[in-house]
Amino acid sequence: MNNYFREDTIAFEKANPAEKQKMIDDATSEGDRKLCYSRECILAMVKWQQKQLVEAYDAFCYEQAAKAGNFEY
């Protein structure tokens, strides 16, 4: 693996959530400026997005349980 591809993964891991989302948007944009990232970096992006979705879903379920008065979620 060359250094560029190792560095993109490290940069993604160190980025704050807004920077991570920008990197994901850049990687998935349909414009002329689509950036290329390594497989490892794309995998890190997918894992991070999955974690964000799980956290959002858990918060939603907790909120719904609290509204219903059921705290045994």
Side-chain angles (χ1 to χ4, degrees):
M1 179 187 314
N2 69 32
N3 285 339
Y4 171 76
F5 288 133
R6 194 171 320 144
E7 290 174 14
D8 68 351
T9 305
I10 293 168
F12 182 79
E13 296 290 339
K14 290 182 177 181
N16 67 44
E19 291 168 339
K20 286 181 179 184
Q21 189 59 54
K22 174 146 181 22
M23 288 176 76
I24 291 168
D25 292 345
D26 288 344
T28 58
S29 70
E30 294 183 17
D32 295 334
R33 292 192 54 223
K34 183 180 276 191
L35 298 177
C36 293
Y37 292 101
S38 67
R39 276 182 51 195
E40 290 78 15
C41 188
I42 297 294
L43 182 59
M45 290 176 180
V46 169
K47 286 180 179 180
W48 180 76
Q49 281 192 316
Q50 286 176 330
K51 183 180 175 202
Q52 299 306 304
L53 289 170
V54 167
E55 289 174 3
Y57 180 75
D58 286 347
F60 173 77
C61 289
Y62 181 80
E63 180 182 313
Q64 295 302 309
K67 285 181 181 178
N70 180 9
F71 289 101
E72 293 186 27
Y73 167 70

